[in-house]
Short mmCIF file of all heavy atoms in Angstrom, two decimals:
data_model
loop_
_atom_site.label_atom_id
_atom_site.label_comp_id
_atom_site.label_asym_id
_atom_site.label_seq_id
_atom_site.Cartn_x
_atom_site.Cartn_y
_atom_site.Cartn_z
N GLY A 1 12.52 -14.46 -11.51
CA GLY A 1 12.64 -14.94 -10.13
C GLY A 1 13.39 -14.02 -9.18
O GLY A 1 13.56 -14.36 -8.01
N ALA A 2 13.84 -12.86 -9.64
CA ALA A 2 14.60 -11.94 -8.78
C ALA A 2 13.68 -11.31 -7.73
O ALA A 2 12.54 -10.93 -8.01
CB ALA A 2 15.25 -10.84 -9.63
N SER A 3 14.19 -11.20 -6.51
CA SER A 3 13.45 -10.52 -5.44
C SER A 3 13.75 -9.03 -5.49
O SER A 3 14.87 -8.62 -5.82
CB SER A 3 13.88 -11.07 -4.08
OG SER A 3 13.50 -12.41 -3.96
N PHE A 4 12.74 -8.22 -5.17
CA PHE A 4 12.93 -6.76 -5.13
C PHE A 4 11.93 -6.16 -4.15
O PHE A 4 10.97 -6.81 -3.74
CB PHE A 4 12.82 -6.13 -6.52
CG PHE A 4 11.45 -6.22 -7.15
CD1 PHE A 4 10.58 -5.14 -7.13
CD2 PHE A 4 11.04 -7.38 -7.82
CE1 PHE A 4 9.32 -5.22 -7.73
CE2 PHE A 4 9.80 -7.47 -8.42
CZ PHE A 4 8.94 -6.39 -8.39
N THR A 5 12.18 -4.93 -3.77
CA THR A 5 11.30 -4.22 -2.84
C THR A 5 10.77 -2.97 -3.52
O THR A 5 11.52 -2.20 -4.11
CB THR A 5 12.09 -3.82 -1.58
OG1 THR A 5 12.64 -5.01 -0.99
CG2 THR A 5 11.19 -3.14 -0.56
N LYS A 6 9.46 -2.79 -3.47
CA LYS A 6 8.80 -1.61 -4.03
C LYS A 6 8.32 -0.75 -2.88
O LYS A 6 7.68 -1.25 -1.95
CB LYS A 6 7.61 -2.03 -4.91
CG LYS A 6 6.76 -0.90 -5.43
CD LYS A 6 7.43 -0.17 -6.57
CE LYS A 6 6.49 0.88 -7.15
NZ LYS A 6 6.94 1.39 -8.43
N THR A 7 8.65 0.55 -2.91
CA THR A 7 8.18 1.48 -1.89
C THR A 7 7.48 2.65 -2.57
O THR A 7 8.03 3.25 -3.49
CB THR A 7 9.36 2.03 -1.05
OG1 THR A 7 10.00 0.93 -0.40
CG2 THR A 7 8.87 3.01 0.00
N TRP A 8 6.26 2.91 -2.13
CA TRP A 8 5.52 4.09 -2.59
C TRP A 8 5.48 5.07 -1.42
O TRP A 8 5.24 4.68 -0.27
CB TRP A 8 4.08 3.74 -2.93
CG TRP A 8 3.90 2.80 -4.07
CD1 TRP A 8 3.92 3.09 -5.40
CD2 TRP A 8 3.63 1.40 -3.98
NE1 TRP A 8 3.69 1.97 -6.14
CE2 TRP A 8 3.50 0.90 -5.30
CE3 TRP A 8 3.48 0.51 -2.92
CZ2 TRP A 8 3.24 -0.43 -5.57
CZ3 TRP A 8 3.23 -0.81 -3.19
CH2 TRP A 8 3.10 -1.27 -4.50
N THR A 9 5.68 6.33 -1.69
CA THR A 9 5.48 7.36 -0.68
C THR A 9 4.19 8.08 -1.05
O THR A 9 4.05 8.61 -2.16
CB THR A 9 6.65 8.36 -0.64
OG1 THR A 9 7.85 7.63 -0.37
CG2 THR A 9 6.43 9.41 0.44
N LEU A 10 3.23 8.07 -0.11
CA LEU A 10 1.94 8.72 -0.32
C LEU A 10 1.75 9.81 0.73
O LEU A 10 2.19 9.67 1.87
CB LEU A 10 0.80 7.71 -0.20
CG LEU A 10 0.80 6.56 -1.20
CD1 LEU A 10 -0.39 5.65 -0.95
CD2 LEU A 10 0.79 7.07 -2.63
N ARG A 11 1.08 10.87 0.33
CA ARG A 11 0.75 11.96 1.26
C ARG A 11 -0.75 11.89 1.57
O ARG A 11 -1.57 11.74 0.67
CB ARG A 11 1.09 13.32 0.63
CG ARG A 11 0.76 14.50 1.56
CD ARG A 11 1.38 15.79 1.08
NE ARG A 11 2.83 15.63 1.15
CZ ARG A 11 3.66 15.99 0.17
NH1 ARG A 11 3.23 16.54 -0.93
NH2 ARG A 11 4.97 15.80 0.31
N ASN A 12 -1.08 12.01 2.84
CA ASN A 12 -2.47 12.07 3.26
C ASN A 12 -2.98 13.48 2.94
O ASN A 12 -2.70 14.43 3.65
CB ASN A 12 -2.58 11.78 4.76
CG ASN A 12 -4.01 11.84 5.26
OD1 ASN A 12 -4.92 12.30 4.57
ND2 ASN A 12 -4.21 11.38 6.49
N THR A 13 -3.72 13.62 1.83
CA THR A 13 -4.25 14.92 1.42
C THR A 13 -5.74 15.06 1.76
O THR A 13 -6.38 16.00 1.32
CB THR A 13 -4.03 15.15 -0.09
OG1 THR A 13 -4.55 14.04 -0.82
CG2 THR A 13 -2.56 15.34 -0.40
N GLY A 14 -6.25 14.14 2.56
CA GLY A 14 -7.62 14.24 3.03
C GLY A 14 -7.66 14.92 4.39
O GLY A 14 -6.69 15.55 4.81
N THR A 15 -8.77 14.76 5.08
CA THR A 15 -8.92 15.37 6.41
C THR A 15 -8.98 14.34 7.52
O THR A 15 -9.04 14.71 8.69
CB THR A 15 -10.19 16.24 6.45
OG1 THR A 15 -11.33 15.43 6.10
CG2 THR A 15 -10.08 17.42 5.48
N CYS A 16 -8.97 13.06 7.18
CA CYS A 16 -9.00 11.99 8.18
C CYS A 16 -7.58 11.53 8.52
O CYS A 16 -6.73 11.48 7.64
CB CYS A 16 -9.75 10.77 7.65
SG CYS A 16 -11.49 11.04 7.36
N ASP A 17 -7.37 11.17 9.78
CA ASP A 17 -6.11 10.53 10.17
C ASP A 17 -6.14 9.10 9.65
O ASP A 17 -7.17 8.44 9.69
CB ASP A 17 -5.97 10.49 11.71
CG ASP A 17 -5.84 11.87 12.31
OD1 ASP A 17 -5.47 12.81 11.60
OD2 ASP A 17 -6.10 11.99 13.52
N TRP A 18 -5.00 8.59 9.19
CA TRP A 18 -4.87 7.18 8.84
C TRP A 18 -4.22 6.50 10.03
O TRP A 18 -3.11 6.84 10.41
CB TRP A 18 -3.98 6.99 7.62
CG TRP A 18 -4.43 7.69 6.37
CD1 TRP A 18 -5.64 8.26 6.12
CD2 TRP A 18 -3.64 7.89 5.19
NE1 TRP A 18 -5.67 8.80 4.87
CE2 TRP A 18 -4.44 8.59 4.27
CE3 TRP A 18 -2.35 7.54 4.83
CZ2 TRP A 18 -3.99 8.94 3.01
CZ3 TRP A 18 -1.90 7.89 3.57
CH2 TRP A 18 -2.70 8.57 2.67
N ASN A 19 -4.90 5.55 10.64
CA ASN A 19 -4.30 4.86 11.78
C ASN A 19 -3.50 3.65 11.30
O ASN A 19 -3.52 3.30 10.12
CB ASN A 19 -5.36 4.49 12.83
CG ASN A 19 -6.36 3.48 12.32
OD1 ASN A 19 -6.01 2.49 11.70
ND2 ASN A 19 -7.64 3.73 12.58
N ASP A 20 -2.80 3.02 12.22
CA ASP A 20 -1.92 1.92 11.83
C ASP A 20 -2.69 0.63 11.51
O ASP A 20 -2.09 -0.40 11.22
CB ASP A 20 -0.84 1.67 12.89
CG ASP A 20 -1.40 1.36 14.26
OD1 ASP A 20 -2.64 1.22 14.40
OD2 ASP A 20 -0.61 1.24 15.20
N GLU A 21 -4.01 0.69 11.54
CA GLU A 21 -4.83 -0.43 11.07
C GLU A 21 -5.20 -0.27 9.60
O GLU A 21 -5.78 -1.16 9.00
CB GLU A 21 -6.09 -0.57 11.93
CG GLU A 21 -5.78 -0.99 13.36
CD GLU A 21 -7.04 -1.10 14.21
OE1 GLU A 21 -8.16 -1.12 13.65
OE2 GLU A 21 -6.89 -1.13 15.43
N TYR A 22 -4.90 0.90 9.01
CA TYR A 22 -5.07 1.07 7.57
C TYR A 22 -4.03 0.18 6.90
O TYR A 22 -3.00 -0.14 7.49
CB TYR A 22 -4.85 2.52 7.17
CG TYR A 22 -6.03 3.44 7.41
CD1 TYR A 22 -6.81 3.36 8.55
CD2 TYR A 22 -6.34 4.42 6.48
CE1 TYR A 22 -7.87 4.22 8.76
CE2 TYR A 22 -7.40 5.29 6.69
CZ TYR A 22 -8.17 5.18 7.83
OH TYR A 22 -9.22 6.04 8.03
N LYS A 23 -4.31 -0.20 5.66
CA LYS A 23 -3.37 -1.10 5.00
C LYS A 23 -3.31 -0.82 3.50
O LYS A 23 -4.15 -0.13 2.95
CB LYS A 23 -3.76 -2.55 5.26
CG LYS A 23 -5.17 -2.90 4.86
CD LYS A 23 -5.56 -4.26 5.39
CE LYS A 23 -7.06 -4.44 5.33
NZ LYS A 23 -7.49 -5.59 6.08
N ILE A 24 -2.30 -1.39 2.90
CA ILE A 24 -2.20 -1.42 1.45
C ILE A 24 -2.54 -2.85 1.06
O ILE A 24 -2.01 -3.80 1.64
CB ILE A 24 -0.83 -0.97 0.92
CG1 ILE A 24 -0.87 -0.91 -0.59
CG2 ILE A 24 0.31 -1.80 1.46
CD1 ILE A 24 0.11 0.06 -1.19
N SER A 25 -3.50 -3.01 0.13
CA SER A 25 -4.01 -4.33 -0.24
C SER A 25 -3.82 -4.58 -1.72
O SER A 25 -3.97 -3.67 -2.53
CB SER A 25 -5.50 -4.42 0.08
OG SER A 25 -5.74 -4.20 1.44
N PHE A 26 -3.54 -5.83 -2.05
CA PHE A 26 -3.47 -6.21 -3.46
C PHE A 26 -4.86 -6.11 -4.05
O PHE A 26 -5.84 -6.56 -3.46
CB PHE A 26 -2.92 -7.63 -3.62
CG PHE A 26 -2.88 -8.07 -5.04
CD1 PHE A 26 -1.95 -7.54 -5.92
CD2 PHE A 26 -3.80 -9.00 -5.51
CE1 PHE A 26 -1.92 -7.93 -7.25
CE2 PHE A 26 -3.77 -9.40 -6.83
CZ PHE A 26 -2.84 -8.87 -7.71
N LYS A 27 -4.96 -5.49 -5.24
CA LYS A 27 -6.26 -5.29 -5.88
C LYS A 27 -6.42 -6.18 -7.10
O LYS A 27 -7.39 -6.91 -7.22
CB LYS A 27 -6.41 -3.83 -6.28
CG LYS A 27 -7.70 -3.50 -6.96
CD LYS A 27 -7.78 -2.03 -7.32
CE LYS A 27 -9.05 -1.75 -8.08
NZ LYS A 27 -9.11 -0.39 -8.55
N SER A 28 -5.46 -6.10 -8.04
CA SER A 28 -5.60 -6.88 -9.27
C SER A 28 -4.28 -6.91 -10.03
O SER A 28 -3.34 -6.23 -9.67
CB SER A 28 -6.70 -6.28 -10.16
OG SER A 28 -6.32 -4.98 -10.59
N GLY A 29 -4.28 -7.71 -11.10
CA GLY A 29 -3.08 -7.80 -11.92
C GLY A 29 -2.17 -8.90 -11.42
O GLY A 29 -2.63 -9.95 -10.97
N ASP A 30 -0.86 -8.64 -11.47
CA ASP A 30 0.15 -9.62 -11.08
C ASP A 30 0.62 -9.33 -9.66
O ASP A 30 1.20 -8.28 -9.39
CB ASP A 30 1.33 -9.54 -12.06
CG ASP A 30 0.86 -9.82 -13.48
OD1 ASP A 30 0.39 -10.94 -13.73
OD2 ASP A 30 0.96 -8.90 -14.32
N GLN A 31 0.39 -10.25 -8.75
CA GLN A 31 0.72 -10.05 -7.33
C GLN A 31 2.21 -10.20 -7.06
O GLN A 31 2.73 -9.66 -6.09
CB GLN A 31 -0.09 -11.01 -6.47
CG GLN A 31 -0.11 -10.63 -5.01
CD GLN A 31 -1.19 -11.37 -4.23
OE1 GLN A 31 -2.00 -12.10 -4.79
NE2 GLN A 31 -1.21 -11.16 -2.94
N MET A 32 2.92 -10.89 -7.90
CA MET A 32 4.37 -11.05 -7.82
C MET A 32 4.85 -11.49 -6.44
O MET A 32 5.86 -11.00 -5.93
CB MET A 32 5.07 -9.75 -8.24
CG MET A 32 4.82 -9.37 -9.69
SD MET A 32 5.63 -7.86 -10.16
CE MET A 32 4.25 -6.91 -10.75
N GLY A 33 4.12 -12.41 -5.84
CA GLY A 33 4.52 -12.95 -4.55
C GLY A 33 4.30 -12.02 -3.38
O GLY A 33 4.69 -12.33 -2.24
N GLY A 34 3.68 -10.88 -3.62
CA GLY A 34 3.42 -9.93 -2.53
C GLY A 34 2.28 -10.40 -1.64
O GLY A 34 1.51 -11.29 -2.00
N PRO A 35 2.15 -9.79 -0.45
CA PRO A 35 1.08 -10.19 0.48
C PRO A 35 -0.29 -9.72 -0.02
O PRO A 35 -0.38 -8.82 -0.84
CB PRO A 35 1.46 -9.46 1.77
CG PRO A 35 2.21 -8.26 1.30
CD PRO A 35 2.96 -8.70 0.07
N ASP A 36 -1.34 -10.34 0.50
CA ASP A 36 -2.69 -9.89 0.17
C ASP A 36 -2.93 -8.49 0.73
O ASP A 36 -3.60 -7.67 0.11
CB ASP A 36 -3.75 -10.85 0.74
CG ASP A 36 -3.75 -12.20 0.03
OD1 ASP A 36 -3.34 -12.26 -1.16
OD2 ASP A 36 -4.15 -13.19 0.66
#
C-alpha cells in the first residue's frame, strides 16, 4: 500500500517533434493505481 513516484527519462532519438499532446499510457501488467 505504499505510495511512490516513478520517473523515466527518455531521449527523443527520432526525427519527429513530440508535442505536449503525446502521452505515456498504461499498456499491460500491474497498473499499481497509476493513470490510464
Side-chain angles (χ1 to χ4, degrees):
S3 294
F4 65 100
T5 302
K6 173 76 175 194
T7 299
W8 296 278
T9 301
L10 299 180
R11 180 167 295 134
N12 180 348
T13 53
T15 57
C16 294
D17 294 340
W18 302 347
N19 65 45
D20 58 6
E21 292 179 15
Y22 280 41
K23 56 191 164 192
I24 185 154
S25 301
F26 178 72
K27 180 180 176 186
S28 64
D30 301 297
Q31 196 165 355
M32 297 180 236
D36 290 334

